[in-house]
Amino acid sequence: MSVSKNAQTVLERRYLIRDEEGAVTETVDGMFHRVAKAIAAADLQYDREADVAALADKFYHMMTELEFLPNSPTLMNAGRPLGQLSACFVLPVADSMEDIFEAIKQAALIHKSGGGTGFSFSRLRPNGSTVNSTGGVASGPISFMRVFNMATEAVKQGGTRRGANMGILRVDHPDILSFIDCKKDNADITNFNISVGITEDFMAAVIAGGDYDLIDPSTKKVVGHQNAKLVFDKIVEGAWHNGEPGIIFLDRLNRDNVVPAQGEIESTNPCGEQPLLPYESCNLGSINLVKMLKKGEDGRYRVDYDKLKATVHAAVHFLDNVIDVNKYPIDKIDEVTKATRKIGLGVMGFADMLLYMGISYSSDEGVQMAREVMRFINEQGHLASQELAKVRGPFPLFSQSIYKDQAPLRNGTITTIAPTGTLSIIGGCSSGVEPVFAYVFIRNVMDKTELIEVNPILKERLIQRGLYSDELMRKISKEGTIAHIEEIPADIRDVFVCAHDVTPEYHVKMQSAFQEYTDNAVSKTVNFSNSATLEDVAQVYMLAYRLGCKGVTIYRDGSRDNQVLNIGKVK
Ligand code: UDP
């Protein structure tokens, strides 16, 4: 097994079993055996003679070879008493005190188990409206978001990992302007990502320069108007200021709603890649594309499509099994999740794959490669789900679904591109479909010795050319990018681009290429340099809209004090 020291540390800290004194009692290998066995066992529900030992072996190898990894809650909890295996949930927030606090309780149970929750606050009556039972005045969605935030903060201590939330408000809610500003202060509502739910009507009004209606959700009456461009500019200003809010295109999420009769999709999970119905949950898994390469006789790397196909089919089987062995935190989630059986298979290591292939992320060739690989995964994923449906039956709501006239599918959705924040550390590859953030990190360890960490693909390339030296690595680390380092030949500089070398336009083009062949959505951050203008951000929003993205998240370098990754600084 090729798990790095970094991965070992992450796994020991959070994933491996501990005894009552808190000492780790499980090995990494033991963890993968535990997970493989627990997930393979679901086959017995369909075939009492199933060879689950052979299947567990297959799953074990796929994980220990770091070809495929399920989302963190599956690694943490499979085969253990808690047994909650999903990363993504959406809970409804209805407009009553009982419902609001019920949702807070349900979220606490989900956070405790390592899942993240998304909510739409759009159904809450606006600040200042009347409360019938008391004659008092309602405090509005933002004040309740603060209560959700505080509950998350309290649960954080005891849970398996930090609970994350998505908060969404429709752009036509009367409190929209205060929502856009609610995270202006970086210390506020820190357990939430927020996104404005944008409608096609609103975008049409932005383009036409006109006004649009504000609607009180409790009475459904038009209670005011806003200038669409003014609201759009406020969203852009907030995103420029510190990355919040993002936007999601609600009508696009609903255009791909698999069973419209089940109601409207009003929210996504915390990182935006998984739109879900209220009470729906989804388990994700990611294929490490670096492991899907083969080296030809000419020394060039190509995608090994036979291996990729086999991996997709095994991964879909794995994720469908997860739905059956999962222990859901509340009964309603169990019921709603099993009605559509959504899974989210995606990729990680895409940027690393391009490096091996000698293709720049910031190029049309790179974007084309994204299309090619994701189209293949999506097609094979759907075929794999059709094959499962032949044996296990289609998902229960199939006959009411948008797929009803096609071959039966076992799963309502099959593909999602997750951020793979932890999975990519375990897999030792670049995260999700993001470009490489930086190629060299220098850490100062306790005894003041310097630890130089270099991206292994760049290191190999520089050694091949006889260019590698510690001094050069220090220089790269200081500059944050190799784009302007002249002692490195142009052919290497052209390929080894980092997140800040990629133009915002190519960030969006890449997101859109993956979206084209993804059932759910794509987790992606468009990185801007600190000097980017409001106009730059506005243009990217419009481009994402034009290119069919389901949402946009941007981040301008240095716009938060404690950002996770810094370029040109010691990590
Ligand atoms: N998530 C969460 N808390 C976290 C990280 C992730 O609740 O600290 C959830 C959230 O729904 C997110 C999803 O897990 O959208 C997938 O995140 P990621 O791919 O980074 O998770 P990993 O499986 O790599 O840990």
Side-chain angles (χ1 to χ4, degrees):
M1 197 184 353
S2 46
V3 168
S4 70
K5 216 163 156 236
N6 249 352
Q8 178 82 26
T9 310
V10 168
L11 291 169
E12 271 173 16
R13 215 173 279 160
R14 291 268 162 155
Y15 293 59
L16 305 182
I17 300 179
R18 289 164 183 270
D19 64 17
E20 279 161 12
E21 272 85 52
V24 173
T25 58
E26 188 179 44
T27 61
V28 172
D29 188 61
M31 175 192 80
F32 285 124
H33 271 300
R34 162 170 60 76
V35 175
K37 226 171 106 187
I39 305 306
D43 270 39
L44 292 173
Q45 296 183 20
Y46 303 102
D47 174 8
R48 285 164 76 189
E49 312 279 291
D51 187 352
V52 288
L55 184 63
D57 213 39
K58 179 163 146 184
F59 288 165
Y60 169 84
H61 277 103
M62 185 161 79
M63 291 188 286
T64 51
E65 293 297 317
L66 305 173
E67 293 164 357
F68 164 84
L69 291 170
N71 58 204
S72 287
T74 301
L75 292 176
M76 290 169 170
N77 301 330
R80 298 183 65 184
L82 188 59
Q84 196 296 104
L85 309 179
S86 295
C88 312
F89 295 81
V90 164
L91 292 170
V93 185
D95 188 33
S96 80
M97 216 47 106
E98 286 79 4
D99 288 314
I100 292 170
F101 283 88
E102 187 60 31
I104 293 175
K105 177 180 128 191
Q106 291 166 348
L109 293 174
I110 292 169
H111 291 168
K112 193 179 114 182
S113 67
T117 44
F119 313 90
S120 166
F121 293 97
S122 303
R123 280 184 268 169
L124 300 189
R125 72 193 71 180
N127 179 2
S129 33
T130 318
V131 178
N132 294 335
S133 55
T134 61
V137 171
S139 56
I142 291 112
S143 73
F144 285 109
M145 274 175 70
R146 293 184 193 280
V147 185
F148 280 74
N149 188 60
M150 269 152 63
T152 306
E153 191 67 32
V155 176
K156 203 149 105 175
Q157 310 303 326
T160 45
R161 65 171 169 177
R162 181 175 180 266
N165 298 300
M166 170 64 89
I168 285 174
L169 199 73
R170 285 177 65 96
V171 73
D172 53 14
H173 192 286
D175 290 359
I176 191 62
L177 289 180
S178 35
F179 178 79
I180 292 168
D181 277 348
C182 79
K183 292 203 64 181
K184 205 168 190 167
D185 180 340
N186 285 335
D188 242 3
I189 322 190
T190 48
N191 298 306
F192 269 89
N193 293 328
I194 60 164
S195 272
V196 176
I198 302 275
T199 59
E200 290 294 333
D201 284 352
F202 174 79
M203 286 311 287
V206 171
I207 291 161
D211 288 358
Y212 72 104
D213 294 342
L214 297 179
I215 298 161
D216 180 337
S218 58
T219 60
K220 310 269 185 291
K221 287 199 176 114
V222 176
V223 291
H225 305 278
Q226 268 297 353
N227 181 271
K229 182 72 171 55
L230 178 142
V231 173
F232 182 81
D233 287 345
K234 285 248 175 227
I235 297 170
V236 167
E237 207 181 301
W240 180 90
H241 171 67
N242 65 359
E244 299 269 21
I247 54 177
I248 58 161
F249 296 114
L250 284 176
D251 296 319
R252 289 185 184 166
L253 302 191
N254 281 292
R255 184 198 57 205
D256 291 345
N257 186 355
V258 180
V259 191
Q262 286 295 92
E264 229 178 89
I265 292 183
E266 49 177 27
S267 182
T268 67
N269 70 330
C271 302
E273 71 276 16
Q274 188 64 46
L276 292 170
L277 294 165
Y279 292 116
E280 216 172 12
S281 69
C282 184
N283 65 89
L284 312 175
S286 299
I287 292 175
N288 179 356
L289 288 176
V290 175
K291 302 286 178 179
M292 300 297 132
L293 289 172
K294 64 175 176 199
K295 202 173 185 174
E297 278 171 15
D298 55 0
R300 299 179 80 95
Y301 287 96
R302 292 186 180 80
V303 177
D304 181 344
Y305 281 104
D306 292 334
K307 185 172 182 185
L308 184 56
K309 179 178 168 184
T311 309
V312 169
H313 283 251
V316 168
H317 186 173
F318 184 108
L319 295 174
D320 189 60
N321 280 18
V322 170
I323 298 172
D324 295 323
V325 294
N326 203 346
K327 290 185 190 156
Y328 297 89
I330 56 174
D331 292 345
K332 181 83 181 166
I333 295 177
D334 190 327
E335 184 192 315
V336 174
T337 301
K338 285 179 180 158
T340 50
R341 301 187 68 89
K342 290 180 180 171
I343 58 171
L345 177 64
V347 297
M348 57 184 165
F350 172 71
D352 282 353
M353 181 191 90
L354 291 184
L355 296 181
Y356 277 113
M357 296 177 89
I359 300 173
S360 165
Y361 187 101
S362 201
S363 70
D364 290 339
E365 207 188 345
V367 173
Q368 191 47 35
M369 203 58 224
R371 274 205 191 91
E372 193 178 311
V373 167
M374 202 56 214
R375 187 175 73 194
F376 184 83
I377 292 173
N378 201 45
E379 274 172 15
Q380 290 302 323
H382 280 249
L383 286 175
S385 186
Q386 284 169 17
E387 278 162 26
L388 282 177
K390 283 182 199 152
V391 182
R392 302 179 171 190
F395 60 92
L397 293 179
F398 179 78
S399 60
Q400 299 175 38
S401 78
I402 55 174
Y403 294 119
K404 67 178 189 311
D405 299 322
Q406 299 173 28
L409 282 167
R410 178 67 178 156
N411 311 94
T413 66
I414 288 119
T415 43
T416 301
I417 307 285
T420 72
T422 316
L423 294 190
S424 62
I425 299 175
I426 302 173
C429 60
S430 58
S431 45
V433 298
E434 297 289 2
V436 171
F437 193 81
Y439 288 93
V440 182
F441 289 106
I442 298 192
R443 290 174 206 267
N444 291 313
V445 269
M446 275 169 291
D447 57 0
K448 297 220 172 80
T449 49
E450 220 180 33
L451 201 71
I452 303 181
E453 275 180 37
V454 185
N455 174 289
I457 313 168
L458 178 66
K459 190 170 181 173
E460 188 189 309
R461 199 58 38 90
L462 292 175
I463 291 173
Q464 268 170 7
R465 302 268 189 109
L467 289 166
Y468 187 86
S469 73
D470 282 358
E471 199 194 331
L472 182 59
M473 294 310 110
R474 273 187 219 109
K475 194 166 174 186
I476 297 175
S477 154
K478 214 161 135 219
E479 292 211 8
T481 157
I482 67 169
H484 314 293
I485 298 183
E486 279 171 9
E487 54 260 54
I488 299 179
D491 67 312
I492 297 184
R493 280 192 275 155
D494 289 347
V495 170
F496 286 78
V497 293
C498 71
H500 282 277
D501 300 326
V502 178
T503 61
E505 189 190 350
Y506 271 100
H507 275 284
V508 177
K509 280 185 172 172
M510 199 54 104
Q511 179 179 336
S512 147
F514 276 101
Q515 185 60 70
E516 207 176 323
Y517 298 105
T518 300
D519 294 334
N520 293 299
V522 178
S523 170
K524 175 91 189 73
T525 301
V526 178
N527 287 102
F528 282 94
S529 67
N530 186 263
S531 61
T533 63
L534 290 171
E535 186 51 34
D536 295 335
V537 176
Q539 275 180 11
V540 152
Y541 274 28
M542 292 312 283
L543 183 65
Y545 176 67
R546 283 211 316 276
L547 294 185
C549 296
K550 287 187 177 173
V552 198
T553 304
I554 70 121
Y555 184 70
R556 191 171 56 90
D557 191 36
S559 66
R560 272 180 229 162
D561 312 331
N562 55 347
Q563 64 191 39
V564 187
L565 295 163
N566 283 304
I567 51 165
K569 286 190 194 162
V570 174
K571 199 167 62 164

